[in-house]
Amino acid sequence: FITGLIFTILSVDHKSALSDLLNTIANILNLVLFIFLRKYTNNSLFHVGFYTSLIMTVIPVAATLWYFKTDYKYLSPSYKYFDKTKLNELLNQGFGFFCIQISALILFSTDNMIITQLFTPADVVPYNISYRLFNFTTLLFGIILTPFWSAYTEAYHQKNIEWIVATTKKLLYFFIIFIFGVIILLLISDFLYKLWLGPKIIIPFKISLYMSFFVLVQSFNMIFVTFIFSTGKIKIQMYLAIFAAILNIPLSIYFSKYLNFGPSGVILATTVCGLTNFYFGPVQFIKLIKGSATGIWNK
């Protein structure tokens, strides 16, 4: 949490590529580590956890020390810069983002537990494999959107509404292309599964279908949420995230067990939870750019 702040600073300074590069370096080192551990150790889960945590800590620590001694020396933390008048504003917004992140963690981490409890641990495998394949598209979409967060913030405070509207329209046009990409991925998913894992593991088409719905809903929401987050008006998003985290578990049980959707009902429930933002995201976006946001829409 502390050393990772350097990634935020790089993103705000329109250097998202550097932030992504550092994460890429960490992931490459992790891959090399896994190969090494598999070859020279007894596949200890403790070793995997320990060295992975070490790498994910060392990289941001090294980056923090480097940048605070060079490019961001003027931003290097010091007690003399402490301003208690900013405390409430920072803590309120920080608490909101914290709630959103924790809710997202609960939302996506409980799916495996629900499948294990309702069915068998073996049923988690097809779900996770399908998630890994289709979530790749969400990651790509997120990479494209990341630089726009800081750009939106600057444009919003400069009241450059025309640029915000034009950029959002371009992202929506790109989303249409993205839909076709996901459809193609769905059509060839069975081939990719066999190429990736061989014929032993069968992934039901229904899981892949619902997973494609899930990544489309997530990606559409990201377009408007990126702008909303950039303005700091996140209270509605916080409430929606908490609501989704609470609703997901009973809805997953209902779809999977009582409607007999099986394990695919779990990802369908998560998708339905995300649909709430289909209304609130665009509406808040319109209100903010028109300057008509009042009450909770402007908090």
Side-chain angles (χ1 to χ4, degrees):
F1 276 132
I2 297 172
T3 60
L5 289 174
I6 192 64
F7 299 134
T8 304
I9 293 172
L10 287 168
S11 296
V12 169
D13 197 27
H14 303 288
K15 295 180 179 178
S16 300
L18 282 175
S19 177
D20 291 336
L21 177 62
L22 291 171
N23 282 314
T24 301
I25 292 171
N27 287 327
I28 291 173
L29 289 175
N30 269 326
L31 178 61
V32 173
L33 169 71
F34 290 146
I35 295 172
F36 177 84
L37 290 176
R38 177 170 182 143
K39 190 171 183 178
Y40 296 105
T41 69
N42 58 350
N43 295 329
S44 167
L45 188 60
F46 170 78
H47 287 156
V48 171
F50 177 78
Y51 289 111
T52 299
S53 300
L54 188 64
I55 289 173
M56 300 306 289
T57 305
V58 168
I59 296 296
V61 167
T64 299
L65 294 174
W66 171 263
Y67 282 109
F68 280 154
K69 290 292 184 181
T70 55
D71 295 8
Y72 298 130
K73 190 173 183 178
Y74 68 99
L75 291 176
S76 184
S78 173
Y79 183 76
K80 67 180 180 181
Y81 299 129
F82 179 73
D83 184 358
K84 65 180 181 181
T85 61
K86 302 291 184 181
L87 201 58
N88 285 338
E89 180 185 351
L90 287 173
L91 288 178
N92 287 336
Q93 194 170 97
F95 177 74
F97 279 114
F98 178 76
C99 287
I100 290 171
Q101 288 178 323
I102 292 297
S103 297
L105 183 65
I106 294 172
L107 183 67
F108 298 119
S109 65
T110 53
D111 285 356
N112 288 338
M113 290 187 284
I114 293 170
I115 292 173
T116 301
Q117 293 297 320
L118 293 181
F119 305 99
T120 67
D123 289 309
V124 174
V125 176
Y127 174 91
N128 266 331
I129 291 171
S130 180
Y131 178 81
R132 294 293 178 187
L133 178 64
F134 283 89
N135 193 51
F136 178 73
T137 61
T138 310
L139 291 175
L140 287 177
F141 202 76
I143 290 171
I144 293 169
L145 284 175
T146 297
F148 288 101
W149 186 323
S150 53
Y152 272 141
T153 301
E154 187 175 340
Y156 181 72
H157 286 288
Q158 292 178 354
K159 300 188 184 302
N160 191 354
I161 304 302
E162 290 184 4
W163 183 87
I164 294 172
V165 173
T167 301
T168 305
K169 283 182 178 179
K170 290 177 182 177
L171 290 173
L172 288 171
Y173 290 143
F174 177 77
F175 177 73
I176 295 173
I177 300 173
F178 179 76
I179 292 174
F180 288 103
V182 173
I183 292 173
I184 292 172
L185 180 62
L186 175 64
L187 294 175
I188 65 172
S189 60
D190 190 54
F191 168 76
L192 294 176
Y193 292 140
K194 290 177 181 177
L195 185 66
W196 180 13
L197 303 162
K200 291 184 178 180
I201 299 178
I202 304 300
I203 313 297
F205 180 77
K206 193 192 302 186
I207 289 183
S208 297
L209 178 63
Y210 291 163
M211 200 66 72
S212 65
F213 291 154
F214 167 73
V215 297
L216 288 175
V217 169
Q218 287 293 104
S219 300
F220 178 81
N221 288 340
M222 285 165 61
I223 295 175
F224 296 100
V225 167
T226 299
F227 170 75
I228 293 168
F229 281 176
S230 73
T231 66
K233 317 294 185 180
I234 62 171
K235 185 153 285 188
I236 288 179
Q237 293 301 317
M238 182 184 74
Y239 290 147
L240 288 175
I242 295 172
F243 173 74
I246 295 172
L247 178 65
N248 183 58
I249 296 176
L251 200 62
S252 295
I253 295 172
Y254 177 72
F255 283 165
S256 300
K257 189 174 182 180
Y258 295 100
L259 294 185
N260 296 318
F261 285 169
S264 58
V266 176
I267 190 60
L268 180 61
T270 307
T271 305
V272 170
C273 290
L275 286 174
T276 54
N277 232 346
F278 261 51
Y279 170 77
F280 289 99
V283 169
Q284 188 174 14
F285 170 82
I286 293 171
K287 286 180 178 291
L288 287 171
I289 62 173
K290 286 186 174 181
S292 61
T294 57
I296 195 172
W297 297 101
N298 199 39
K299 293 183 179 179

